[in-house]
Amino acid sequence: MTEAPTIPWKPYPDLSDDDRLAAVEALRVSLATRRTCRAFSDRPVPRAILESAILAAGSAPSGANHQPWHFAVIASPDLKHAVRTGAEAEEREFYAGKAGQEWLEALAPIGTDADKSYLDIAPWLIVIFGQRRGGPNPGDDRQNYYVTESVGIATGLLLATLHAAGVATLTHTPNPMKFLNRLCNRPDSEKPMMIVVVGHAADDATIPVHAIKRKPLDAIATWL
Ligand SMILES: Cc1cc2nc3c(=O)[nH]c(=O)nc-3n(C[C@H](O)[C@H](O)[C@H](O)COP(=O)(O)O)c2cc1C
């Protein structure tokens, strides 16, 4: 380590390994019940829950701690509708063939199509932007590093935190997403990466059987 200012750091509490295993198992079991929601009700979710979840997302590690993300949070019905209109225009072309046969076949078991009515119905849309330039302090204008990786981790924390709060989410990625810069008043140097739809599941919500499949441990990990 080179010389840089430091502060004392209190590491994790001294749990027994049994308690650690119980903690990781409890979190694993909870996270395993998260599902992507595609049928929302209009039941409100308090803004304070989103504020806390976004702060949790913002606690993520990031390249050089530049925190290269911006969360544009939409509740306005007019703006939600504009997002829906823009997303559906892109998605109509996507599902009409722009995606290519292989991608469409991959999506077939999920059953998605160009209808994105949930963008009108869910109480909140969080549009997540990756910032090519920025820095550790608000207003910085320096090169950012590992933007995609950093935003991905932050998005994971956002989803996990909202799930822990009992709030449903959908990660929606209309393709392409550039129209979101204009709607959210974000500069061209920022890349829209995801719309996280936030709300409560509709009473008649279903999930595709395909979505519950998960690879076993020996297929996703090697121990060397
Ligand atoms: C980067 C990313 C993009 C996604 N884009 C969409 C999307 O545009 N529309 C959609 O309905 N689901 C989308 N999904 C959700 C996946 O289909 C879903 O996570 C997967 O089928 C597993 O289901 P689960 O989230 O319920 O476990 C996306 C997920 C990720 C991680």
Side-chain angles (χ1 to χ4, degrees), residues 42-164:
D42 60 1
R43 198 172 126 209
V45 172
R47 174 173 161 156
I49 292 176
L50 275 79
E51 288 180 356
S52 191
I54 291 169
L55 283 172
S59 76
S62 62
N65 195 24
H66 280 202
Q67 303 154 56
W69 40 65
H70 182 86
F71 301 86
V73 188
I74 302 176
S76 140
D78 286 351
L79 200 45
K80 283 194 293 182
H81 190 66
V83 172
R84 175 184 176 182
T85 303
E88 287 185 336
E90 302 293 4
E91 295 284 82
R92 271 194 295 274
E93 287 188 36
F94 178 90
Y95 284 98
K98 202 169 118 190
Q101 198 52 31
E102 190 170 1
W103 197 346
L104 292 176
E105 279 172 17
L107 291 173
I110 299 175
T112 48
D113 59 23
D115 176 5
K116 304 299 171 193
S117 40
Y118 49 68
L119 294 173
D120 272 329
I121 298 166
W124 298 100
L125 310 179
I126 305 177
V127 185
I128 305 179
F129 291 86
Q131 299 178 319
R132 294 187 187 92
R133 298 194 64 80
N137 307 295
D140 285 345
D141 183 25
R142 296 158 64 180
Q143 177 70 36
N144 283 337
Y145 305 97
Y146 295 114
V147 174
T148 306
E149 294 83 349
S150 303
V151 172
I153 296 170
T155 303
L157 295 187
L158 180 75
L159 300 180
T161 309
L162 289 168
H163 173 67

Side-chain angles (χ1 to χ4, degrees), residues 198-211:
V198 180
H200 293 289
D203 287 340
D204 59 353
T206 60
I207 51 168
V209 170
H210 178 75

Side-chain angles (χ1 to χ4, degrees), residues 34-36 38 91 110 112 116 118 170-174 194 210-211 214:
R34 182 208 53 78
R35 292 269 81 83
T36 293
R38 297 184 184 82
E91 295 284 82
I110 299 175
T112 48
K116 304 299 171 193
Y118 49 68
L170 159 67
T171 44
H172 177 37
T173 44
M194 187 95 67
H210 178 75
R214 285 299 187 270

